[in-house]
Amino acid sequence: MKLNKHYTELNESYLFSTIARKVREFQAANPERDVIRLGIGDVTLPLAASVTEAMHKAVDEQGRKESFHGYIPSEQGYEFLREAIQRYYAKNGVMLDISEIFVSDGAKSDLGNLLDLFDVDNTVLVPDPVYPVYVDDNVMAGRTIHYMAATAENHFLPMPGEDTEGDIVYLCSPNNPTGSTYSVEQLKVWVDWAKAHDALILFDAAYECFVTEPGLARSIYEVEGAKDVAVEVCSFSKIAGFTGTRCGYTVVPQAIVKENQSLNKMWLRRQTTKFNGVAYVVQRGAEAVFTEQGMKEIQDNLNYYRTNAAVIGKALEDCGVWYCGGKNSPYIWLKCPGGMDSWQFFDWLLANAGVVGTPGAGFGACGEGYFRLTAFGDAERTREAAARIKAAIQTL
Ligand code: MLT
């Protein structure tokens, strides 16, 4: 028996596990300190009433013989949910065939599982900084990773150049961690590049619900021709607070055919073999997100988080700290003050303000010197955190 040697190439622990451990150690050493967590992008508002009502009803159905559901008829997801997702895209002008939509237990799993479809020899292109899952998934599989620098100079939105090479490209927009968001025009450049280079784009749209500015893309399929070269992964975690409920979906267009094989058929084959679908109760809850009442409740929740982002942004402006994000995104990406590096600022902020954030360096080398704060916290605690951050930075 031999182990997968690539695990030795990973950082010792996943970024958010490292942070959780450091916070536990801090709390053990300082039990009297009140710590506010604005690190991992976990939501704090409960599920919307429409969602829980739908789930209660589904639980009752599961308790009666005549309405009980066993194995899901299609591992791809119930038609009622896939049709609701189809209508959600259509409202945004994107037409999908229902066979292109696959319901899953979340974007994180799909982002890793999709790699089953690709040869290990493919070169992977990822922005730096980036959601660490893209990198770790590919390190585990032993793929070569190339990084595209996302810096203040390119507004944290790397674009392909003449010498950009790669077989699989990850794009995340609105971006985790920087909050920057590609316009439809910029994504068109990526789609054209992918076509010219026979490459595939894995587009992570988990934060699309935060986009409000016209011209910015919510889906890569707003670009004509993107269905030939892009798979889109999305989640109910951020739009509807499903971080603890688990549901997401992936769009694999029928148009993607490589080496005479349909990527959609390959993904269906993979999912039917390795996945038995998402719980009926959860899919009924997810369906309710897209009802008129569900959408209204969800917009109220998104506005709550948008207000948190504005509160954090204002505090940073007041103490002269540069930041971006927080407008079409729940993340605020700030330059560490006082010349501190990312982890120094993490420790300093925890010690001096009792606030937890995420060090930019944890998302990649280009994130060094930056720091991420999430707007998904409780509003009162976020106001308290913003006041503490401001007061602490003003002492520097
Ligand atoms: C984050 O904080 O980057 C995200 O919440 C992590 C995730 O969605 O898995």
Side-chain angles (χ1 to χ4, degrees):
M1 188 281 281
K2 283 191 184 148
L3 293 173
N4 179 344
K5 62 179 184 298
H6 300 297
Y7 275 65
T8 59
E9 295 153 25
L10 294 164
N11 290 335
E12 195 185 329
S13 70
Y14 182 57
L15 173 63
F16 294 106
S17 314
T18 307
I19 292 172
R21 178 183 48 77
K22 280 178 90 80
V23 175
R24 274 195 307 275
E25 285 167 5
F26 177 84
Q27 291 223 281
N30 304 278
E32 76 297 346
R33 292 292 302 274
D34 169 44
V35 171
I36 305 179
R37 288 178 167 76
L38 300 183
I40 192 164
D42 197 2
V43 295
T44 45
L45 289 175
L47 296 173
S50 304
V51 171
T52 52
E53 267 166 37
M55 290 173 78
H56 279 299
K57 196 165 155 263
V59 167
D60 289 342
E61 282 179 58
Q62 288 295 71
R64 286 192 300 264
K65 192 169 195 313
E66 61 280 13
S67 53
F68 171 75
H69 294 78
Y71 282 129
I72 293 161
S74 159
E75 297 84 346
Q76 225 179 312
Y78 282 100
E79 284 196 4
F80 62 75
L81 178 54
R82 289 190 288 141
E83 281 169 3
I85 295 167
Q86 189 185 38
R87 287 193 295 273
Y88 180 65
Y89 271 75
K91 272 196 207 142
N92 197 20
V94 173
M95 300 303 160
L96 299 176
D97 190 89
I98 195 167
S99 68
E100 298 176 314
I101 302 166
F102 295 77
V103 175
S104 73
D105 65 343
K108 188 178 183 176
S109 326
D110 276 2
L111 284 161
N113 294 338
L114 276 163
L115 295 174
D116 275 9
L117 311 188
F118 309 113
D119 194 284
V120 77
D121 285 342
N122 286 299
T123 298
V124 174
L125 199 55
V126 295
D128 170 8
V130 82
Y131 181 38
V133 166
Y134 312 154
V135 171
D136 287 0
D137 282 338
N138 282 288
V139 169
M140 286 171 183
R143 280 198 190 82
T144 304
I145 303 174
H146 290 167
Y147 295 91
M148 311 182 266
T151 61
E153 285 69 44
N154 60 21
H155 306 287
F156 299 101
L157 294 171
M159 297 298 296
E162 292 210 333
D163 52 355
T164 304
E165 301 266 337
D167 304 306
I168 300 169
V169 185
Y170 285 84
L171 297 178
C172 174
S173 177
N175 184 263
N176 180 8
T178 66
S180 47
T181 306
Y182 283 110
S183 66
V184 177
E185 270 171 37
Q186 286 172 313
L187 287 182
K188 174 158 180 13
V189 177
W190 271 111
V191 166
D192 291 345
W193 174 88
K195 286 189 178 182
H197 289 77
D198 191 28
L200 185 86
I201 298 172
L202 294 182
F203 190 77
D204 183 350
Y207 299 93
E208 59 79 30
C209 55
F210 281 91
V211 174
T212 48
E213 250 175 87
L216 299 184
R218 299 181 67 152
S219 162
I220 195 163
Y221 304 125
E222 289 174 56
V223 176
E224 216 184 307
K227 281 197 195 158
D228 297 332
V229 289
V231 167
E232 183 161 299
V233 179
C234 204
S235 164
F236 287 92
S237 288
K238 316 297 166 166
I239 188 174
F242 273 53
T243 51
T245 306
R246 308 309 310 149
C247 196
Y249 56 90
T250 287
V251 178
V252 186
Q254 293 287 1
I256 305 179
V257 177
K258 301 268 174 196
E259 299 160 25
N260 292 324
Q261 291 216 69
S262 150
L263 204 70
N264 180 287
K265 282 209 172 62
M266 284 177 74
W267 182 238
L268 182 64
R269 186 69 181 83
R270 191 261 173 219
Q271 291 298 80
T272 48
T273 305
K274 298 197 183 185
F275 186 56
N276 260 342
V278 175
Y280 173 71
V281 174
V282 171
Q283 293 199 49
R284 278 294 183 200
E287 179 195 22
V289 169
F290 299 115
T291 59
E292 204 181 321
Q293 179 59 20
M295 271 288 143
K296 196 195 146 302
E297 290 162 5
I298 270 138
Q299 281 310 321
D300 291 344
N301 290 358
L302 294 176
N303 286 336
Y304 175 99
Y305 296 133
R306 288 187 181 111
T307 305
N308 285 348
V311 166
I312 298 170
K314 170 83 171 55
L316 295 174
E317 278 159 30
D318 288 350
C319 52
V321 171
W322 183 93
Y323 76 96
C324 63
K327 298 221 163 59
N328 298 289
S329 148
Y331 296 129
I332 284 114
W333 182 246
L334 61 108
K335 185 108 192 75
C336 299
M340 283 183 258
D341 72 27
S342 301
W343 281 104
Q344 279 169 340
F345 185 62
F346 174 90
D347 291 331
W348 182 89
L349 196 66
L350 189 53
N352 290 278
V355 173
V356 181
T358 309
F363 296 100
C366 293
E368 183 55 279
Y370 290 92
F371 199 74
R372 194 193 79 175
L373 293 169
T374 167
F376 282 125
D378 167 79
E380 200 180 316
R381 298 287 281 162
T382 300
R383 278 194 295 276
E384 167 70 16
R388 287 195 210 168
I389 292 170
K390 181 171 150 183
I393 291 178
Q394 280 172 338
T395 65
L396 281 173

